[in-house]
Amino acid sequence: MKEQLVSAFVERFDARPTVVTRAPGRLEILGNHTDYNEGVVLSVAVDRAAFVAAGAVPGGTCCIRDIMDGSERTFSLDSLDSPTSGDWANYVKGVVVELQKRGIEIPAFEAVFGSTVPMSAGMSSSAALEISVAYALGELAGADLPWQEWAKVGQGAENNYVGAKTGLLDQFSSIKGKAGQLVFSDFRTLEVENVPIPEGTALVVANSMVKHTLTNEYNDRRESCEDAVASLKPRMPDITALRDVSRADLERHREALDPVSYQRALHVVGENERVMAGISALEDNKLAAFGDLMFDSQNSSTQHFENSCDELDTLVAIGKTLPGAIGARLSGGGFGGITVHLVEADKAEPYSEALADVYSKQTGLESEAMICQPADGANTLFKA
Ligand code: GLA
């Protein structure tokens, strides 16, 4: 991809790029919608990434080209205040705005990008784009920020520019991934640790081919979580987020909660518990127990958080019946997109083929299933 990008850059701009960056997509393994509730998540950066090649140019006009479909956007550095609904360039412009907010002077630039992360599927194609753009522009500007701040630049582009009130999971995973390792993130302390992925396992990802539009449903779920905290606060004055709430607290104060907010909170509280239980299971090498936590997570999404859908439920149900299955669940925001399956490594090929095959027979939809490897986090591949 790097060579492909460099030639595309040379062909389009008649110059060589001065920087090439890469940022991977991610899979969420356990801990759904916990990040913006100051909770915990186990995720993994994968061997599919967005790549950016860029160079600074004089003046104030920027040009960026998507080498996958040849579309191109030109914009001025001093008129970035209006996002265009549904446009990929929002992620680029949003990053520029966030960097400018932090006092970083971004030069005008020419850039090309490409990505091997499936778009809008739940593998964080947008975070991969944001972080690869942020790193590239950061290199052009000579900016140096703590890693958490790079993540917040990406999140800021989504929250403030695109209007999706997402947490920091996608950016944390894209930045802190490590080959062969999971990423355990704590969204209260904003610290991460890498946890080895169990030996002899593989990650299979299946695309339901149902696309999600995250913004409305996602923001609605987030509001329910905030509503639950607001309703509990008079009875539990010390809490600031669902992170501070246990299952027993929820039951004790159930009548104070709106029934829908209670269900949403139950999912988040349960997910935090499952992440911690998952880490213990991994430490004790209890793979089946870890897999069951993934299945429990899916059930909770279906029943309590209502961010699954028939297609995702079907993929998980099929996965459960296949040889080599350990655990499976939806990954990311939900409402379509992908499921992630933890599978015995030597069965991963036939598992992924059977999964796609049975899914298309049952639903009439062509699914794509692929095996993903845990990969290193975002980096600069080249700097002149
Ligand atoms: C999306 C968001 C993340 C996170 C997940 C759900 O991927 O971008 O911040 O909230 O959904 O866990």
Side-chain angles (χ1 to χ4, degrees):
M1 184 57 101
K2 183 181 155 204
E3 284 69 37
Q4 206 183 329
L5 270 192
V6 171
S7 348
F9 188 99
V10 172
E11 196 178 304
R12 170 63 185 87
F13 298 115
D14 207 15
R16 289 192 71 77
T18 54
V19 59
V20 181
T21 57
R22 162 198 159 271
R26 65 100 190 87
L27 297 170
E28 180 195 282
I29 306 294
L30 269 182
N32 185 242
H33 286 258
T34 51
D35 60 348
Y36 56 81
N37 291 299
E38 296 185 23
V40 285
V41 186
L42 268 175
S43 63
V44 66
V46 292
D47 54 345
R48 295 179 172 248
F51 297 81
V52 172
V57 290
T61 306
C62 305
C63 181
I64 179 160
R65 183 183 180 89
D66 172 352
I67 67 160
M68 296 168 299
D69 67 4
S71 61
E72 197 168 287
R73 301 287 183 275
T74 301
F75 55 88
S76 162
L77 274 181
D78 50 22
S79 62
L80 291 166
D81 40 4
S82 51
T84 314
S85 176
D87 188 5
W88 58 258
N90 293 338
Y91 297 105
V92 181
K93 295 181 192 170
V95 163
V96 174
V97 171
E98 289 298 316
L99 289 169
Q100 287 174 337
K101 269 189 204 166
R102 287 161 176 79
I104 297 167
E105 270 189 47
I106 302 297
F109 60 88
E110 291 170 337
V112 294
F113 81 91
S115 180
T116 55
V117 188
M119 293 293 150
S120 305
M123 278 176 86
S124 291
S125 52
S126 43
L129 178 58
E130 291 147 22
I131 298 298
S132 53
V133 168
Y135 274 27
L137 301 186
E139 293 281 12
L140 296 184
D144 188 16
L145 295 174
W147 72 265
Q148 288 95 340
E149 206 53 34
W150 289 112
K152 287 181 187 174
V153 165
Q155 182 198 28
E158 305 241 3
N159 289 181
N160 307 324
Y161 207 77
V162 179
K165 299 290 172 205
T166 47
L168 277 164
L169 168 66
D170 308 344
Q171 295 80 10
F172 266 42
S173 313
S174 182
I175 291 173
K176 297 304 274 185
K178 220 174 186 178
Q181 310 262 325
L182 301 174
V183 182
F184 168 55
S185 304
D186 182 325
F187 291 98
R188 171 155 281 169
T189 62
L190 300 187
E191 277 167 12
V192 308
E193 265 172 54
N194 290 109
V195 177
I197 190 152
E199 268 177 41
T201 63
L203 293 167
V204 172
V205 175
N207 192 339
S208 67
M209 297 312 221
V210 190
K211 291 232 169 173
H212 59 171
T213 43
L214 205 56
T215 320
N216 292 339
E217 292 286 356
Y218 186 97
N219 291 354
D220 168 79
R221 294 302 184 280
R222 187 167 180 155
E223 274 170 31
S224 294
C225 294
E226 285 161 7
D227 176 65
V229 173
S231 304
L232 289 169
K233 191 122 178 117
R235 292 158 176 246
M236 300 177 66
D238 293 340
I239 66 168
T240 54
L242 282 179
R243 169 66 176 268
D244 303 308
V245 178
S246 69
R247 205 178 276 261
D249 294 329
L250 268 188
E251 296 312 322
R252 197 172 315 121
H253 303 300
R254 184 167 180 169
E255 80 286 356
L257 293 166
D258 165 83
V260 171
S261 301
Y262 165 81
Q263 293 293 333
R264 307 301 187 236
L266 186 58
H267 176 67
V268 170
V269 167
E271 285 294 283
N272 280 328
E273 287 176 0
R274 282 185 279 275
V275 171
M276 299 320 293
I279 298 221
S280 305
L282 290 180
E283 278 167 4
D284 300 342
N285 220 5
K286 292 188 172 150
L287 259 191
F290 187 85
D292 286 344
L293 292 164
M294 293 177 76
F295 288 127
D296 291 347
S297 169
Q298 175 65 24
N299 287 338
S300 176
S301 272
T302 306
Q303 288 169 25
H304 305 306
F305 211 66
E306 294 183 277
N307 64 330
S308 187
C309 59
D310 289 348
E311 292 83 357
L312 294 175
D313 290 342
T314 301
L315 280 169
V316 172
I318 297 169
K320 226 176 198 169
T321 65
L322 298 174
I326 301 170
R329 64 190 282 280
L330 64 82
S331 171
F335 316 106
I338 52 159
T339 51
V340 57
H341 303 244
L342 187 67
V343 177
E344 291 165 20
D346 57 348
K347 314 253 173 44
E349 277 299 342
Y351 182 104
S352 75
E353 278 162 27
L355 186 58
D357 194 40
V358 179
Y359 179 72
S360 72
K361 283 194 185 113
Q362 285 191 9
T363 62
L365 296 164
E366 273 317 306
S367 169
E368 274 167 11
M370 56 198 151
I371 299 171
C372 285
Q373 305 295 341
D376 283 333
N379 58 341
T380 296
L381 297 174
F382 162 80
K383 186 155 189 271

